């Protein structure tokens, strides 16, 4: 991949951050960067104060820095701003940060030398993963603390992750054959002043959530069929009479997954008029989540192809502005958090319907295939699902509605976008587990319906997880089955998304 040659998208971020696609700086980006660098060097030679070039930062914006201190200024901003706390961000997320930071600098509006981006590319190609604590960004003036931890590695400071352990960068330089650089005027500020921690979180979350909506809809179709639901609710006429893109996509998926099902044929003339909402309204709910994802995808792809540091070098001007403010990402992350939380709510309701003998259409009570009473079956997995949903509801309170002034009231309104993104990652993890529980229950329910078979597509999903279930009718340590199915779900959603929805439009 050539950095700075064409726009990034969610797919390209996943390919680099998780699948180690190699990167290099494009020749066209080098030309752009050299032009803006000339402007910065000219301003650095003048007595006139220019923010980020020869002044302090934040509340120190009016403090003029002597020329003999300008290089120390760039080093010191990294050392002073690397104040994150908490557990480390995962390697794929950090790599996504490095990639998106390299890309925005390569657009040529930041005034840094090409060598800075080339060293970021080298970090990616050599799998050098900076240690980046997860907490500390308020999402305005960019993600200062997380990006400072990344940038320290460029100057041989900070820490890196090696085999899951923190090691001082200087101890790892020889291992990676990595030569640190000295930063010149404005380069330290340009490395920390941006939205790349938020962008990386949201980009990977969008990829995974798009895959999760697909898988959760496939699981929902299996649950609906074993619960003797009617596919009439997924008819083309229903989607055509309501103009929501996501609803139509999900309805067509569901309709396809009922074709030639023996289970459906067995109750086609039953007297039930309509199904419960958790079955009948899957297109309306899953589809609404998909629509929020399309919004979040556009938001984050706009952001990763934008210039988000301050000041920007535009032509021969250096302009102080606020592109580092993370509000667009904060709103998108909070909205997606709410959407995924409600997706989890609907999943939990289907789990209950699969287990509850009052609702499960004659399936064994709590899917206890052995002697009921002596065996409790999967009864308590619905408790676990309820606990996960409760946690999601707490996490769905928007972070973006809060602001706490920073930097001596110079930065008096912040987005809290990083917190929005971090809780989004947790909600996404919880919904993965809810999907795994539903899949475990739906597969067990299909076993209970034998010898009848579901549709070809539902049976294909079942065949992928059948061997992951414990082969027993009696109670067993179901954690083993859950862990295997959870791993299957994780591997499925962390793959690079295939724009699967286009097959149903």
């Amino acid at each position: 991949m050539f950095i700075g040659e064409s726009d990034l998208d969610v797919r390209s971020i996943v390919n680099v951050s998780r699948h180690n696609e190699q990167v290099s700086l494009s020749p066209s980006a080098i030309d752009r960067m050299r032009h803006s660098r000339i402007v910065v060097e000219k301003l650095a030679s003048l007595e006139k104060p220019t923010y980020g070039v020869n002044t302090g930062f934040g509340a120190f914006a009016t403090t003029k820095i002597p020329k003999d201190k300008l290089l120390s200024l760039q080093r010191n901003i990294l050392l002073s701003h690397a104040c994150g706390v908490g557990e480390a961000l995962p390697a794929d997320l950090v790599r996504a940060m490095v990639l998106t930071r390299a890309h925005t600098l390569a657009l040529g509006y930041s005034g840094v030398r090409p060598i800075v981006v080339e060293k970021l590319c080298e970090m990616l190609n050599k799998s050098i993963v900076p240690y980046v604590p997860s907490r500390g960004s308020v999402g305005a003036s960019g993600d200062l603390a997380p990006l400072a931890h990344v940038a320290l590695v460029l100057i041989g400071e900070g820490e890196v992750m090696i085999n899951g352990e923190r090691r001082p960068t200087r101890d790892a330089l020889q291992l990676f054959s990595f030569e640190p650089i000295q930063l010149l005027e404005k380069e330290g500020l340009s490395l920390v002043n941006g939205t790349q921690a938020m962008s990386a979180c949201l980009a990977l979350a969008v990829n995974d959530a798009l895959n999760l909506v697909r898988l959760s809809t496939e699981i929902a179709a299996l649950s609906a069929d074993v619960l003797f639901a009617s596919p009439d609710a997924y008819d083309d006429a229903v989607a055509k009479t309501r103009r929501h893109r996501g609803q139509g996509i999900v309805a067509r998926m569901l309709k396809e997954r009922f074709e030639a099902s023996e289970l459906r044929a067995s109750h086609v003339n039953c007297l039930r008029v309509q199904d419960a909402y958790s079955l009948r309204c899957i297109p309306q709910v899953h589809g609404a989540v998909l629509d929020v994802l399309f919004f979040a995808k556009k938001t984050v792809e706009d952001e990763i192809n934008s210039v988000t540091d301050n000041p920007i070098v535009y032509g021969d001007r250096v302009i102080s502005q606020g592109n580092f403010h993370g509000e667009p990402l904060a709103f998108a992350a909070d909205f997606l958090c709410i959407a995924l939380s409600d997706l989890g709510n609907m999943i939990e309701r289907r789990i209950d319907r699969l287990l509850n003998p009052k609702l499960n259409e004659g399936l064994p009570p709590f899917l206890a295939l052995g002697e009921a009473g002596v065996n409790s079956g999967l009864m308590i997995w619905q408790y676990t699902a309820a606990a996960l949903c409760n946690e999601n509801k707490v996490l769905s309170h928007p972070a973006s509605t809060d602001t706490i002034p920073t930097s001596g009231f110079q930065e008096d309104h912040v987005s809290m976008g990083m917190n929005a993104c971090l809780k989004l990652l947790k909600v996404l993890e919880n919904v993965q587990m809810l999907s795994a529980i539903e899949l475990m229950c739906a597969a067990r329910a299909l076993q209970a319906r034998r010898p009848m078979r579901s549709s070809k597509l539902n049976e294909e999903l079942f065949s992928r997880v059948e061997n992951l279930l414990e082969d027993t009718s009696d109670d067993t340590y179901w954690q083993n089955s859950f862990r295997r199915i959870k791993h299957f779900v994780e591997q499925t959603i962390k793959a690079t998304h295939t724009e699967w929805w286009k097959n149903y439009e």
Side-chain angles (χ1 to χ4, degrees):
M1 180 189 297
F2 286 103
I3 301 296
E5 183 171 88
S6 57
D7 282 356
L8 292 179
D9 58 14
V10 168
R11 287 173 53 83
S12 57
I13 289 176
V14 174
N15 287 337
V16 172
S17 65
R18 290 180 177 163
H19 307 303
N20 301 312
E21 182 175 341
Q22 298 289 285
V23 298
S24 61
L25 183 59
S26 71
S28 59
I30 292 173
D31 290 340
R32 291 193 302 269
M33 295 179 73
R34 283 174 175 165
H35 175 78
S36 64
R37 184 63 203 169
I38 291 171
V39 176
V40 169
E41 290 175 352
K42 179 180 178 181
L43 290 170
S45 67
L46 303 176
E47 292 301 321
K48 178 183 176 181
T50 302
Y51 179 73
V53 177
N54 54 13
T55 70
F57 310 116
F60 290 120
T62 58
T63 302
K64 181 72 165 55
I65 306 299
K67 289 184 180 179
D68 63 345
K69 301 292 186 182
L70 293 182
L71 300 191
S72 296
L73 177 70
Q74 301 307 313
R75 175 182 175 84
N76 288 345
I77 190 175
L78 304 189
L79 293 168
S80 65
H81 285 45
C83 54
V85 297
E87 69 275 12
L89 293 174
D92 60 348
L93 204 156
V94 174
R95 286 174 57 81
M97 288 174 61
V98 176
L99 171 64
T100 51
R101 192 73 213 138
H103 178 72
T104 192
L105 296 177
L107 295 177
Y109 296 100
S110 301
V112 306
R113 294 167 297 156
I115 184 64
V116 175
V117 175
E118 289 169 349
K119 296 304 286 188
L120 291 171
C121 291
E122 185 180 349
M123 286 170 58
L124 289 169
N125 293 337
K126 291 182 175 179
S127 296
I128 302 172
V129 179
Y131 163 71
V132 182
S134 57
R135 269 66 181 175
S137 172
V138 295
S141 277
D143 295 308
L144 295 172
L147 287 171
H149 283 277
V150 170
L152 278 174
V153 176
L154 293 177
I155 63 172
E157 299 289 350
E159 297 170 293
V160 296
M161 301 298 292
I162 300 177
N163 298 324
E165 295 184 0
R166 291 162 55 182
R167 296 267 298 275
T169 298
R170 61 174 64 94
D171 293 348
L173 294 176
Q174 187 174 359
L175 175 65
F176 291 109
S177 300
F178 186 81
E179 194 70 34
I181 60 173
Q182 183 178 44
L183 299 176
L184 303 184
E185 299 89 353
K186 194 183 179 296
E187 291 179 339
L189 178 62
S190 292
L191 282 164
V192 303
N193 205 193
T195 60
Q196 281 65 48
M198 291 178 281
S199 297
C201 282
L202 187 54
L204 294 182
V206 163
N207 176 83
D208 295 355
L210 283 167
N211 287 333
L212 180 59
V213 168
R214 178 184 187 176
L215 179 59
S216 66
T217 302
E218 292 172 349
I219 297 168
L222 178 58
S223 295
D225 203 18
V226 296
L227 287 169
F228 293 159
S230 169
D232 289 352
Y234 320 137
D235 191 89
D236 292 343
V238 179
K240 287 178 180 178
T241 54
R242 198 181 194 197
R243 298 183 181 182
H244 293 294
R245 180 186 177 194
Q247 177 180 332
I249 291 168
V250 172
R252 284 184 281 276
M253 279 189 70
L254 291 168
K255 182 180 177 183
E256 178 184 58
R257 302 187 78 83
F258 270 78
E259 292 177 1
S261 167
E262 293 179 10
L263 290 170
R264 170 56 183 158
S266 72
H267 65 95
V268 69
N269 294 316
C270 70
L271 298 178
R272 188 167 58 196
V273 177
Q274 56 186 14
D275 297 307
Y277 287 2
S278 59
L279 304 176
R280 191 179 2 143
C281 298
I282 295 169
Q284 289 77 11
V285 175
H286 287 223
V289 176
L290 192 54
D291 285 334
V292 175
L293 272 164
F294 292 149
F295 161 72
K297 182 175 184 289
K298 183 182 185 304
T299 298
V300 75
E301 289 182 341
D302 284 346
E303 186 75 1
I304 60 181
N305 293 297
S306 300
V307 181
T308 57
D309 56 311
N310 175 54
I312 60 171
V313 182
Y314 197 87
D316 293 328
R317 294 187 296 157
V318 174
I319 307 171
S320 288
Q321 39 67 50
N323 278 357
F324 50 70
H325 203 292
E327 204 73 279
L329 300 169
F331 287 162
D334 276 335
F335 194 9
L336 186 51
C337 218
I338 292 167
L340 289 174
S341 180
D342 196 55
L343 177 66
N345 292 341
M346 181 170 261
I347 290 171
E348 184 277 330
R349 287 294 78 208
R350 287 194 297 271
I351 291 168
D352 183 62
R353 298 194 80 83
L354 288 163
L355 299 174
N356 190 336
K358 297 178 181 179
L359 305 171
N360 69 5
E361 298 296 325
L363 287 166
F366 306 106
L367 298 176
L369 303 188
E371 184 179 353
V374 175
N375 293 289
S376 296
L378 301 179
M379 178 193 295
I380 308 302
W381 286 99
Q382 188 261 332
Y383 293 45
T384 303
L388 291 169
C389 286
N390 174 258
E391 183 178 15
N392 284 349
K393 292 166 191 174
V394 173
L395 292 171
S396 291
H397 179 87
S400 57
T401 56
D402 183 37
T403 179
I404 298 174
T406 58
S407 197
F409 293 117
Q410 176 74 1
E411 299 160 6
D412 59 351
H413 180 278
V414 300
S415 75
M416 296 299 178
M418 188 60 180
N419 283 347
C421 289
L422 289 172
K423 63 190 184 68
L424 168 61
L425 296 179
K426 183 59 180 175
V427 169
L428 180 60
E429 178 187 359
N430 286 348
V431 180
Q432 289 178 49
M433 291 190 282
L434 286 163
S435 294
I437 295 170
E438 183 183 4
L439 181 53
M440 183 168 66
C441 293
R444 185 80 164 166
L446 184 57
Q447 290 177 329
R449 293 293 192 202
R450 294 302 193 214
M452 287 191 295
R453 297 180 63 81
S454 186
S455 67
K456 178 183 177 181
L457 292 177
N458 283 342
E459 290 288 346
E460 285 177 359
L461 175 61
F462 174 74
S463 69
R464 295 167 69 189
V465 299
E466 182 179 12
N467 292 334
L468 306 180
L469 288 168
E470 296 292 315
D471 186 16
T472 178
S473 297
D474 295 324
D475 280 350
T476 186
Y477 187 58
W478 286 107
Q479 279 287 340
N480 292 328
S481 295
F482 171 73
R483 287 169 184 159
R484 290 190 290 265
I485 293 176
K486 176 174 173 284
H487 179 72
F488 164 79
V489 171
E490 289 173 346
Q491 294 300 109
T492 301
I493 74 165
K494 287 185 179 296
T496 306
H497 78 73
T498 59
E499 297 190 336
W500 55 267
W501 55 89
K502 293 184 177 179
N503 296 327
Y504 299 97
E505 291 188 300

